[in-house]
Amino acid sequence: MLKIGTGWSEDSDTAEATRDALKLAQDQLGGQPAKAAMVFAAIDMDLEVLTRELAEALPGVPVAGCTTDGEVAGPEGFLEDSVVITLFASDTVDFTVGMGAGAIGTPAEATADAVNMAKAASDKEPALCIALPEGLGTNIHHLLNGLRDQLGEDFPIVGGAAGDQLRFQGTRQFMNQTIVNDAMVVLMMHGPVIYSCGVATGYEPLGNRHTITKVEGATVYEIDDRPAADLYADYLQQPSIFYPLAVYEEKRQSFVLSSPLNFDEETGAIQLVNPVENAAQVQLATATRDEIVDAARTAVQSAYAGFPSNRTPDAALFFSCAGRRATLGTRTAEEYESIADIVGEAIPTSGFYTYGEIGPDQPQGRSVTHTNAFLAVLLGTQETA
């Protein structure tokens, strides 16, 4: 059995918001005791108050969470300046949390510390990892590689990087009452868990493929031996952060998007949100707002198509990119509205707008990193004798 309850509140008082959201989540559990809590909170929430309220109300219950670029909870959908609390209850699944510091400078050590802490708290084999890493200054690829090193190349890892409402001043991650930044926080599920994922962006590549010929990390200096920004001048006549690069990698089923953060007028260099490899093939990518909204529906449909036909999901988690929210603007709420009829009101849902998404690009495939993507994760448990 797996039972999940989700609650939310937009009250400006953090203590009141936490109590209100927690009551809604507990009511959905129907009297089942919570075994873990996952929390998505606006950057202006007082996290010390939030975590203290949770510790007092749920003594001994492990908590994992982070700040966001916007929150999601069904049936309300898109929320801002809110707290969303997801409670997990089960008689067959264990839930553990872990934290590792130094995600920016020492991602291998940070991920190892987080995973080892979580694994040590249960004698059951881990089945799924929800990762909530630092979203600023990190290389999300390296963090995912670190998780794979500890859990296995094909172990299911989902989640999203913490945000701060596009201020780019500092995100927060928290485990129980420890509040930090520059960390990896994980919530691990152990036992007979089943899951299915769907991911889509809505973006399509433009024109021919081009080759990155000079790059350092996330800074692309040259494409086709010309200043990188010339690619945008050729297609758009000017730079634009709303046209990400579609980057092709050998191990992926499709391209990964990498959005530009800024353009250097003097050198023509482009600063991307995540690093790319030298000699990688790239194209500009574009999408209308309608196509971005439709992609959320495609992702959820894909997740449902991959879920066991004889089982009903117990919950759905959504991780959508902050870049999608920036592009959608006042139409952001339409993402959730487009999927509400698929998910329905009987299945608890929660999620947040991230600074990078982690999850398989197939229903049960190998986990990869994404940007400008909508990731849907369905959760349930296997039948037991």
Side-chain angles (χ1 to χ4, degrees):
M1 177 273 291
L2 175 64
K3 195 168 184 61
I4 295 176
T6 298
W8 63 92
S9 175
E10 295 176 291
D11 196 305
S12 59
D13 181 276
T14 299
E16 287 297 326
T18 305
R19 294 174 196 140
D20 291 346
L22 184 58
K23 184 180 186 306
L24 283 174
Q26 288 175 318
D27 288 347
Q28 288 189 25
L29 289 186
Q32 294 289 333
K35 295 183 68 173
M38 183 168 61
V39 184
F40 306 134
I43 190 65
D44 291 325
M45 285 283 175
D46 188 330
L47 297 184
E48 290 189 0
V49 171
L50 187 157
T51 55
R52 184 177 67 243
E53 289 285 336
L54 288 175
E56 292 175 356
L58 303 171
V61 172
V63 176
C66 68
T67 57
T68 79
D69 187 56
E71 303 79 50
V72 174
E76 290 298 298
F78 171 62
L79 298 162
E80 291 184 279
D81 300 320
S82 76
V83 58
V84 173
I85 298 174
T86 301
L87 298 179
F88 299 85
S90 179
D91 54 4
T92 58
V93 178
D94 287 352
F95 302 86
T96 63
V97 297
M99 173 183 285
I104 298 173
T106 56
E109 290 84 350
T111 50
D113 288 346
V115 169
N116 289 335
M117 185 183 297
K119 289 172 70 174
S122 174
D123 57 5
K124 295 180 180 178
E125 284 296 312
L128 180 79
C129 175
I130 302 173
L132 306 173
E134 168 65 65
L136 294 175
T138 54
N139 184 328
I140 194 170
H141 298 280
H142 291 168
L143 291 170
L144 179 55
N145 287 340
L147 292 173
R148 286 202 201 102
D149 288 344
Q150 300 301 315
L151 294 166
E153 188 69 16
D154 297 320
F155 187 88
I157 303 163
V158 301
D164 68 346
Q165 294 184 335
L166 294 182
R167 300 175 189 178
F168 303 116
Q169 297 172 347
T171 76
R172 296 292 184 272
Q173 305 82 54
F174 48 95
M175 184 193 75
N176 302 329
Q177 287 187 270
T178 302
I179 304 163
V180 294
N181 59 5
D182 186 20
M184 168 63 79
V185 169
V186 298
L187 188 152
M188 202 87 71
M189 301 176 70
H190 310 250
V193 175
I194 54 176
Y195 74 96
S196 181
C197 297
V199 63
T201 67
Y203 283 80
E204 294 293 335
L206 291 171
N208 299 320
R209 293 193 186 188
H210 303 268
T211 303
I212 293 177
T213 48
K214 184 178 180 182
V215 62
E216 292 181 8
T219 303
V220 180
Y221 292 95
E222 294 182 1
I223 298 175
D224 293 339
D225 296 314
R226 300 170 60 204
D230 285 2
L231 182 66
Y232 283 78
D234 292 343
Y235 284 89
L236 308 174
Q237 285 73 58
Q238 62 182 355
S240 174
I241 62 171
F242 296 110
Y243 288 77
L245 288 180
V247 183
Y248 294 86
E249 299 178 353
E250 292 183 2
K251 294 183 178 181
R252 298 182 67 104
Q253 297 291 324
S254 61
F255 58 77
V256 60
L257 296 173
S258 189
S259 297
L261 290 175
N262 57 66
F263 298 80
D264 190 314
E265 294 183 3
E266 293 185 5
T267 67
I270 304 173
Q271 179 70 35
L272 301 175
V273 296
N274 51 292
V276 295
E277 298 293 330
N278 200 47
Q281 298 287 299
V282 298
Q283 291 173 280
L284 287 190
T286 183
T288 66
R289 289 181 177 180
D290 286 341
E291 289 168 334
I292 292 172
V293 169
D294 288 345
R297 189 174 181 87
T298 298
V300 174
Q301 288 173 331
S302 177
Y304 268 89
F307 202 79
S309 59
N310 63 336
R311 305 290 291 168
T312 299
D314 293 304
L317 304 179
F318 303 125
F319 304 94
S320 187
C321 186
R324 297 171 63 83
R325 180 188 168 187
T327 302
L328 288 172
T330 56
R331 295 185 60 184
T332 300
E334 293 181 29
E335 270 202 322
Y336 191 88
E337 292 168 2
S338 74
I339 64 175
D341 64 317
I342 304 175
V343 178
E345 295 189 7
I347 298 176
T349 62
S350 69
F352 72 99
Y353 283 82
T354 81
Y355 283 177
E357 304 79 59
I358 297 173
D361 53 6
Q362 300 293 317
Q364 284 90 26
R366 175 178 179 269
S367 292
V368 292
T369 60
H370 308 270
T371 61
N372 287 90
F374 186 98
L375 171 68
V377 183
L378 303 179
L379 297 175
T381 52
Q382 301 170 10
E383 292 184 355
T384 56

